[in-house]
């Protein structure tokens, strides 16, 4: 199977090579002609200690070599991009501090535009892609599962498959976020409250989580849900089989997510936990009957709060309902 790290969009390598060339040329200019470059970059006379300026040029040039290396595989070499990105953020901050203190003229900030600011967006996009790719890479078994295999072969902590669990009665399969997420804790609280009504309607509940069994079992015990069938899926094979993808930036960090997260964590008392598992994976809910998905709910943002009782009754509240028995 091909390494996902080799699948970065071509433009990322192009950007990093351009950054490498720029840094090497700029660094050579500063090292070879320090006084000329100081004047062009907006520093006033007298030009004291040009040797320090030459040292900066040398450092910038070395970064250029790093960017050229990173261009061969932007995902694998993301630490080089990250260090460069930090420098491009901290450089303008340092200039603004110097300007506010009266030690640097405003004209000295012009170099921050070409050295730093214009690279923020592409470097940030490369780092975001690297994060998503790394989080999506299975930890142990890279072999993907199709939906029928997932339903028929993956077993819960008690040894039952989804096909077996949904044969006797409908099964509400809830895919959680990582167990440190406040929305995961909110979902467990909602399930605990709605469980009596869901089961009274003749539907069972099963949970899918990204943690090791011991960690998740202890957490579910706190909500009185430790007797439910559950599937430990740190390799995210079930999530992928059911079509639950990694969230886009706004789905994970948009204003709605941040405001709802603050409300759920602080005002509703669900709190925050540490990152455990892939924090980018989106949750979802599926209703299964006789091993077939008959209704589904895919979160549009991580802040979505489904009504599990309605979903258990046939998915009337679902955003992605399929009642024709054809699965996903």
């Amino acid at each position: 199977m091909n390494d996902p790290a080799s699948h970065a969009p071509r433009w990322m390598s192009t950007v990093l090579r351009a950054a490498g060339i720029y840094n090497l040329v700029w660094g050579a200019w500063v090292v070879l002609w320090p006084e000329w470059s100081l004047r062009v970059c907006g520093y006033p006379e007298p030009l004291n200690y040009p040797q320090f300026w030459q040292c900066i040029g040398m450092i910038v040039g070395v970064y250029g070599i790093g960017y050229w290396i990173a261009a061969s595989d932007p995902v694998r070499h993301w630490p080089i991009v990250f260090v460069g990105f930090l420098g491009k953020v901290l450089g303008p901050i340092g200039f603004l501090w110097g300007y506010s203190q009266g030690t640097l003229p405003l004209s000295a900030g012009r170099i921050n535009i070409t050295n730093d600011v214009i690279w923020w967006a592409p470097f940030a996009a490369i780092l975001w892609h690297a994060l998503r790719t790394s989080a999506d890479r299975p930890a142990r078994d890279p072999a993907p599962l199709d939906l029928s295999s997932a339903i028929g072969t993956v077993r819960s902590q008690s040894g039952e498959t989804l096909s077996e669990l949904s044969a006797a009665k409908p099964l509400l399969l809830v895919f959680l976020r990582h167990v440190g997420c406040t929305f995961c804790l909110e979902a467990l609280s909602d399930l605990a409250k709605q469980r009596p009504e869901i089961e009274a309607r003749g539907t069972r509940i099963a949970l899918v989580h990204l943690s090791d069994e011991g960690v998740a079992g202890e957490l579910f015990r706190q909500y009185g849900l430790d007797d439910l069938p559950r599937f430990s899926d740190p390799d995210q094979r079930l999530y992928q089989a059911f079509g639950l993808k990694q969230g886009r930036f706004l789905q994970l960090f948009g204003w709605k997510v941040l405001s709802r997260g603050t409300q759920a964590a602080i005002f509703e008392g669900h709190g925050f936990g540490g990152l455990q598992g892939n924090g980018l994976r989106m949750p979802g809910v599926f209703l299964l009957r006789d091993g077939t998905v008959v209704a589904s709910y895919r979160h549009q943002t991580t802040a979505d709060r489904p009504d599990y009782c309605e979903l258990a009754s046939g998915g009337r509240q679902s955003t992605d309902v399929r009642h024709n028995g054809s699965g996903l």
Side-chain angles (χ1 to χ4, degrees):
M1 185 174 181
N2 293 332
D3 186 350
S6 64
H7 295 164
R10 182 173 298 178
W11 70 261
M12 296 183 180
S13 294
T14 302
V15 164
L16 289 172
R17 289 192 181 96
I21 294 171
Y22 175 88
N23 277 43
L24 287 168
V25 171
W26 193 91
W29 177 50
V30 168
V31 170
L32 296 174
W33 296 283
E35 295 185 354
W36 175 34
S37 58
L38 276 167
R39 292 190 185 96
V40 173
C41 291
Y43 288 88
E45 305 280 356
L47 302 174
N48 297 322
Y49 307 112
Q51 295 83 359
F52 287 118
W53 185 241
Q54 289 176 303
C55 287
I56 293 175
M58 178 189 66
I59 294 171
V60 171
V62 169
Y63 269 99
I65 297 173
Y67 296 149
W68 191 268
I69 294 172
S72 65
D73 193 335
V75 172
R76 179 182 178 187
H77 297 301
W78 70 264
I80 297 176
V81 183
F82 179 65
V83 171
F85 181 73
L86 286 179
K88 294 181 183 303
V89 171
L90 296 176
I93 292 175
F95 160 73
L96 291 174
W97 173 257
Y99 175 70
S100 70
Q101 299 299 303
T103 59
L104 288 175
L106 183 60
S107 59
R110 69 179 66 151
I111 195 60
N112 291 127
I113 297 175
T114 55
N115 274 25
D116 305 309
V117 176
I118 65 171
W119 305 101
W120 285 354
F123 273 46
I126 292 170
L127 291 171
W128 176 248
H129 175 78
L131 175 62
R132 288 170 57 86
T133 301
S134 176
D136 204 32
R137 187 181 294 117
R140 288 180 286 273
D141 187 354
L145 288 173
D146 59 31
L147 183 61
S148 61
S149 296
I151 291 174
T153 63
V154 178
R155 297 186 179 276
S156 69
Q157 89 281 13
S158 56
E160 298 168 295
T161 67
L162 291 170
S163 180
E164 293 167 347
L165 288 169
S166 62
K169 57 180 63 176
L171 180 72
L172 190 68
L173 184 64
V174 180
F175 286 78
L176 300 166
R177 296 206 72 225
H178 72 91
V179 297
C181 174
T182 189
F183 296 123
C184 172
L185 304 178
E186 179 185 68
L188 293 175
S189 177
D190 289 346
L191 284 167
K193 294 174 183 176
Q194 298 178 37
R195 179 180 181 179
E197 182 177 349
I198 292 171
E199 293 181 341
R201 298 182 182 188
T203 300
R204 301 183 68 179
I205 302 172
L207 306 173
V208 185
H209 59 89
L210 293 160
S211 300
D212 291 333
E213 178 55 39
V215 173
E218 178 59 33
L219 176 65
F220 298 157
R221 187 174 297 110
Q222 298 174 23
Y223 291 87
L225 301 174
D226 54 303
D227 60 321
L228 293 178
R230 56 184 183 267
F231 297 81
S232 175
D233 189 28
D235 292 332
Q236 307 159 64
R237 299 173 75 207
L238 275 175
Y239 285 81
Q240 292 171 347
F242 277 81
L244 294 175
K245 300 179 180 180
Q246 307 228 54
R248 298 184 298 275
F249 185 83
L250 291 180
Q251 290 180 301
L252 300 167
F253 305 109
W255 171 249
K256 176 184 177 181
V257 176
L258 296 178
S259 60
R260 271 270 294 118
T262 301
Q263 175 185 345
I266 299 175
F267 298 105
E268 296 180 12
H270 297 296
F272 297 100
L275 179 63
Q276 299 184 41
N278 182 0
L280 306 182
R281 184 67 63 184
M282 294 294 289
V285 188
F286 300 84
L287 185 66
L288 280 70
R289 293 195 183 100
D290 295 320
T292 300
V293 176
V294 296
S296 60
Y297 179 98
R298 288 179 175 82
H299 291 58
Q300 300 304 300
T301 74
T302 55
D304 291 353
R305 194 175 190 178
D307 186 325
Y308 298 104
C309 290
E310 286 198 28
L311 291 168
S313 66
R316 289 192 301 272
Q317 191 241 8
S318 174
T319 61
D320 184 25
V321 180
R322 307 288 177 88
H323 289 289
N324 57 13
S326 60
L328 295 179

